[in-house]
């Protein structure tokens, strides 16, 4: 009985898996605001640049 259940589960998993005809991967476009400090016209090698990102508790994800 145990082997029959394993065989049935295996067949179900194989039939539900991804193949060339199904689109299984999903991509999302996430946008976050970024602040850069210090604000300069140009930067030199060795300059310290700070990036500040504000992550909220909720965000919108747009499917690609």
């Amino acid at each position: 009985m145990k082997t029959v259940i394993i065989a049935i589960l295996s067949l179900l998993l194989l039939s539900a898996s991804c193949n060339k005809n199904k689109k299984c991967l999903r991509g999302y476009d996430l946008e976050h605001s970024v602040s850069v400090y210090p604000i300069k016209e140009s930067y030199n090698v060795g300059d310290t640049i700070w990036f500040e990102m504000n992550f909220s508790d909720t965000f919108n994800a747009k499917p690609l």
Side-chain angles (χ1 to χ4, degrees):
M1 185 67 179
K2 190 176 188 179
T3 56
V4 172
I5 293 174
I6 292 173
I8 291 172
L9 285 175
S10 298
L11 289 174
L12 287 173
L13 289 174
L14 287 174
S15 66
S17 65
C18 296
N19 60 28
K20 293 180 183 176
N21 297 331
K22 295 180 183 177
K23 185 177 179 182
C24 296
L25 298 176
R26 293 185 180 145
Y28 294 96
D29 187 19
L30 302 174
E31 296 180 6
H32 294 285
S33 60
V34 177
S35 300
V36 180
Y37 300 102
I39 300 171
K40 293 183 177 181
E41 284 278 329
S42 63
Y43 298 95
N44 297 316
V45 175
D47 286 350
T48 301
I49 304 171
W50 293 91
F51 294 93
E52 182 180 292
M53 295 183 75
N54 296 323
F55 294 102
S56 62
D57 291 339
T58 60
F59 56 90
N60 295 327
K62 300 176 186 174
L64 296 176

